[in-house]
Amino acid sequence: MSDVETRFHRFKDLPSTQLLGTGTPMCAGCGGLQALHEIYDVLGEKTVFVNAAGCMTLLSVYPFTPFRGSWLYTAMASAPAGAQGVRDALDILLEQERMPPEEDLRVVVLTGDGAAYGMGLSATSGAIERGLDFLYIVYDNEGYGNTGQQYSGATPHAARTATSRMGGGFRGDKKDLFDIWVAHRPAYAATVIGAEPLDLARKVERAMAIKGPKLILALAPCPTGWDFDPKLTVDIGRLAVRTGIWPLKEYVDGRVVHSKTPHPRKPVKEYLSLQGRFAHLFEPQRNAAELTRMQAKVDEYWADPAT
Amino acid sequence: MYRIRFHGRGGQGMKTASRILGSALFAEGFEVQDAPRYGAERRGAPIFAYVRADRRPINERGIIRRPDLVVVADDTLIPVPAAGVLAGLDAYSVLLIHSHESADTWRRRLNTPARVLVLPLIEESADRADLPYVGAVCAGAAACLLGVISEDALATALRDELGPLGEAVVQRNLDKALAAYRQMVEVCGVVTEGREANAADYTPPEWISLAFEGANVSAPVIHAGLTSSAVKTGLWRTLRPVIDYDRCGRCWWVCSSLCPDGAIQVEEGRPTIDYDHCKGCLVCVAVCPPHAIEAQPERTAESLETPK
Ligand SMILES: Cc1ncc(C[n+]2csc(CCOP(=O)(O)OP(=O)(O)O)c2C)c(N)n1
Ligand code: SF4
Ligand code: SF4
Ligand code: SF4
Ligand SMILES: [Mg+2]
């Protein structure tokens, strides 16, 4: 991304403003909240949030809100439809000159992975197809966090969840939402993580400059659902990147580019062993075969990353 | 009917305690309700759980306002108004506090009409959100205080509730629960059943009638931003991050960007932690490059504070 004009060259250029209010009911150490406050600092306050049901719904429980502007709550599957309604309303106000252009707002969907990888896919696909001008932020805690971490379409292989509690954990594989978006040829798509704030800020900045459907997909380490000490949120986030499990990349102008290529990559077991949901891979016996398969999957991705 | 209220912090297993006690009462032939109160069930946040038990069908619902027994897993919650530990206690109630201080100390401090008992804190943990086995311990002690639950029923209930966690976990919890049960034998059965709720006892809330106005006039806060800061999530904290400014390298973009709650403000390159809202996750302690932030148990940090 070096050829891009950015106001974020060094860490010192990150905003120190803290636009998002404190006092929210998210868990201590919530990786999703970390990403959101970093994103909001770049986006600015001229935004309308359309929130699919999930942990973040609790952000705005009357009379409390950490946002500086409007917020709309939708059912799990319908945030992109809600965003369409808000965008249309704003466009009508602009067209009829009932609102000056400088008061226009950005329409931002805020959604968990349960909605984004599953129930909300149809509405999302439709919104991208219609070329809706919106930013779609996913905080991916790899499960239905708000209802007790049942598995979702984003749950990784072998993770224990409330609905895959026993034995080897979740038997399926994590869907690739980034690729699902890219297959739609959106205006922009990027993966980010709160533990890499500079990379995140540049991508949000880039997304803001482009009209159309845009994805910001944030892996969100979740102490509660992933079962780790809350102080490890950043360590786990950094390891997700350095082990290659969470590739940081963006899709722009029809191409996928990796914004960080971990080199050398750390072994995935360093990431897995910090989380209670994967503890069964290490105790009481080490599941060497499963660990080897999981490492091989990551190696396979990086052998031919889609750049 | 028995009405029991558990108070603890998210992470201390109050929901589990209520379920163990509920299942034990059920095994003894009671009709039972047990439920945590739905809210911000976050680690460190004040948590409530309720148990009702009766030999007859239970028609009461909702939160327990007049408890026969209140069990407090974490005594640091008692001074927290939002926790409402002392609410609804009267001369017929029993208040059991899990604490390293004596019952006399608590009686003097609280001046409550309720009978105050202490369950001695066996293991102190620097991080109080992490007190091991406290859910099982509280359930065990409460079971004895009710006087209608046998050790066998307690053990069966605990196995039912914790079974999926594996035999080793069950056994450790069972040992602690039975030890707590036996610690209470002298006061076994002190909790008495409360009266049936009666419609005649109902006192309506004191309504204040307001003239109808547009919401933006009567409640402008509906349209206000940033109101969440009125919620003092600093109360969740069990460990406090403290910056040593002599060692701080003024690399504010590290701690202030990475604090999930945005609770680190920056002025002229100097980071300040907002203790009204810092939840004590200790991410800042983990990421600070020169290790300039130290975690102190909240209790110690409070006692070091100079009174305002
Ligand atoms: C259609 C529908 N089904 C179920 C629910 C109940 N529900 C509320 S939040 C939630 C979990 C959402 O998971 P995710 O989108 O990953 O967000 P998270 O809770 O992890 O933040 C569920 C199932 C709902 N609100 N709407
Ligand atoms: S459950 Fe996970 S995602 Fe939800 S608020 Fe807690 S830490 Fe954040
Ligand atoms: S990260 Fe540590 S050294 Fe850097 S500003 Fe924050 S407290 Fe100071
Ligand atoms: S412990 Fe540190 S990182 Fe966590 S909320 Fe408090 S100030 Fe923020
Ligand atoms: Mg989720």
Side-chain angles (χ1 to χ4, degrees), chain A residues 6-88:
Chain A
T6 172
R7 68 184 162 109
F8 304 112
H9 297 283
R10 299 165 306 163
F11 281 100
K12 273 186 194 188
D13 302 328
L14 288 172
S16 63
T17 39
Q18 314 286 22
L19 288 186
L20 193 72
T22 49
T24 60
M26 301 299 102
C27 305
C30 174
L33 186 64
Q34 179 184 56
L36 178 64
H37 100 77
E38 293 171 11
I39 292 169
Y40 196 39
D41 276 340
V42 179
L43 273 183
E45 40 192 292
K46 290 176 79 178
T47 41
V48 185
F49 282 89
V50 182
N51 206 150
C55 285
M56 298 260 178
T57 324
L58 297 178
L59 286 176
S60 282
V61 176
Y62 176 78
F64 303 116
T65 177
F67 296 111
R68 291 168 188 249
S70 294
W71 178 87
L72 175 73
Y73 174 34
T74 70
M76 260 183 92
S78 18
Q84 179 81 55
V86 173
R87 186 62 263 163
D88 288 352

Side-chain angles (χ1 to χ4, degrees), chain A residues 108-133:
Chain A
V108 181
V109 164
L110 181 59
T111 168
D113 52 285
Y117 285 72
M119 276 187 236
L121 265 180
S122 158
T124 309
S125 180
I128 307 175
E129 191 183 307
R130 295 189 300 274
L132 177 63
D133 183 21

Side-chain angles (χ1 to χ4, degrees), chain B residues 185-241:
Chain B
V185 283
E186 267 180 41
V187 276
C188 182
V190 286
V191 177
T192 50
E193 290 190 61
R195 281 198 298 130
E196 272 300 293
N198 189 330
D201 298 338
Y202 175 76
T203 39
E206 288 175 21
W207 297 110
I208 301 171
S209 301
L210 293 175
F212 182 78
E213 294 168 314
N216 53 348
V217 177
S218 61
V221 73
I222 289 176
H223 299 281
L226 290 184
T227 45
S228 61
S229 56
V231 182
K232 304 290 183 239
T233 43
L235 295 173
W236 301 11
R237 194 173 55 239
T238 51
L239 292 171
R240 177 188 295 198

Side-chain angles (χ1 to χ4, degrees), chain B residues 243 248-252 254-255 271 288-290 292-293:
Chain B
I243 301 177
C248 166
R250 306 296 195 262
C251 47
W252 54 265
V254 180
C255 54
C288 171
I293 313 182

Side-chain angles (χ1 to χ4, degrees), chain A residues 146-163:
Chain A
N146 194 42
T147 43
Q149 197 72 3
Q150 295 81 13
Y151 76 76
S152 77
T155 301
H157 185 69
R160 283 212 173 144
T161 71
T163 37

